[in-house]
Amino acid sequence: MAKKPSNRAKKATANKSASSGQVRIISGQWRSRKLPIHDLEGLRPTTDRVRETLFNWLATDIRGARVLDCFAGSGALSLESLSRYAKFAQILELQQSAAKQLQQNLATLKCDNATVTQTDSLSYLANQAEDGFDVIFVDPPFRKDLANKTIELLAQNNWLNEDALIYVETESELTNLAVPADWQLLKEKVAGQLTYRLYQA
């Protein structure tokens, strides 16, 4: 007869499932580093495959860029950018535990050219930007009507430097993405239930 798991084993399993997974940095100075992330509701890290495609698109633009990660979650996009020698990353994340984990991961990497701000991104972007950004990631939680509102605020409040690149990742059924008329669609791909696009302002 199989033994029932002990209370200690049950507790260890529960703690493991409650705490986390990992995000792997694909390339750059921290290539193949794995960092912990919290398993939080709505947290949906951009997959390695999509991230690899995205950073192939950005290959000549990310080094030296000022990066804005509007819905950081695991931080996969901003961490990958910093690994590939982005100049600076402003990282926005609403959930306190995810923001704290991002700060810890930056400390682990001894990275001092990024700032994590725990905030509601729409409230943050409603302010006029003091300095613009070269690469902006818009990867909000799905089905919460956040993508179009974010795009509108980015365009209105001087968040975009000249010729800025804007990455937008949404659920595939969102067909009415409202981008400014002067944004040029450079790339677009569908991967299962998500669609991801790269625009230039």
Side-chain angles (χ1 to χ4, degrees):
M1 181 182 295
K3 290 184 178 180
K4 292 183 178 179
S6 67
N7 286 337
R8 180 180 294 178
K10 287 180 181 176
K11 187 175 180 181
T13 301
N15 286 342
K16 184 178 180 182
S17 62
S19 66
S20 62
Q22 289 183 323
V23 61
R24 182 179 70 89
I25 297 175
I26 296 170
S27 189
Q29 60 182 320
W30 305 317
R31 182 178 182 174
S32 299
R33 288 288 295 270
K34 293 180 180 179
L35 298 163
I37 58 173
H38 280 280
D39 185 14
L40 299 172
E41 183 180 355
L43 189 65
R44 180 187 44 77
T46 299
T47 65
D48 284 8
R49 185 175 179 182
V50 170
R51 205 160 14 115
E52 191 164 7
T53 299
L54 166 61
F55 282 92
N56 284 339
W57 292 349
L58 296 174
T60 60
D61 299 288
I62 203 70
R63 181 183 284 266
R66 284 175 48 82
V67 171
L68 174 62
D69 194 349
C70 295
F71 300 89
S74 70
L77 298 178
S78 42
L79 290 171
E80 190 73 42
S81 299
L82 291 162
S83 181
R84 298 175 189 232
Y85 304 99
K87 180 180 180 180
F88 172 76
Q90 173 62 62
I91 302 170
L92 309 180
E93 173 50 42
L94 178 61
Q95 299 188 71
Q96 183 178 13
S97 55
K100 186 176 180 180
Q101 184 65 67
L102 275 164
Q103 290 169 335
Q104 291 172 351
N105 287 344
L106 288 169
T108 297
L109 296 167
K110 297 181 172 57
C111 175
D112 60 3
N113 58 328
T115 300
V116 178
T117 303
Q118 185 203 340
T119 185
D120 175 84
S121 296
L122 295 183
S123 297
Y124 187 94
L125 297 172
N127 299 297
Q128 287 288 323
E130 294 182 8
D131 295 294
F133 291 85
D134 306 302
V135 177
I136 298 91
F137 299 119
V138 181
D139 180 16
F142 284 178
R143 302 175 184 90
K144 294 185 181 294
D145 194 28
L146 292 171
N148 283 329
K149 293 175 182 176
T150 303
I151 288 168
E152 182 180 4
L153 292 171
L154 288 170
Q156 284 179 352
N157 295 326
N158 300 321
W159 291 100
L160 309 176
N161 284 339
E162 187 176 357
D163 296 327
L165 295 168
I166 307 99
Y167 171 75
V168 184
E169 183 175 318
T170 65
E171 62 273 27
S172 290
E173 68 262 27
L174 179 65
T175 56
N176 61 334
L177 196 61
V179 301
D182 60 346
W183 285 21
Q184 179 185 359
L185 179 62
L186 302 180
K187 302 282 187 179
E188 180 177 18
K189 288 196 77 170
V190 177
Q193 296 183 353
L194 66 87
T195 298
Y196 54 110
R197 305 171 176 92
L198 185 68
Y199 294 92
Q200 186 166 47

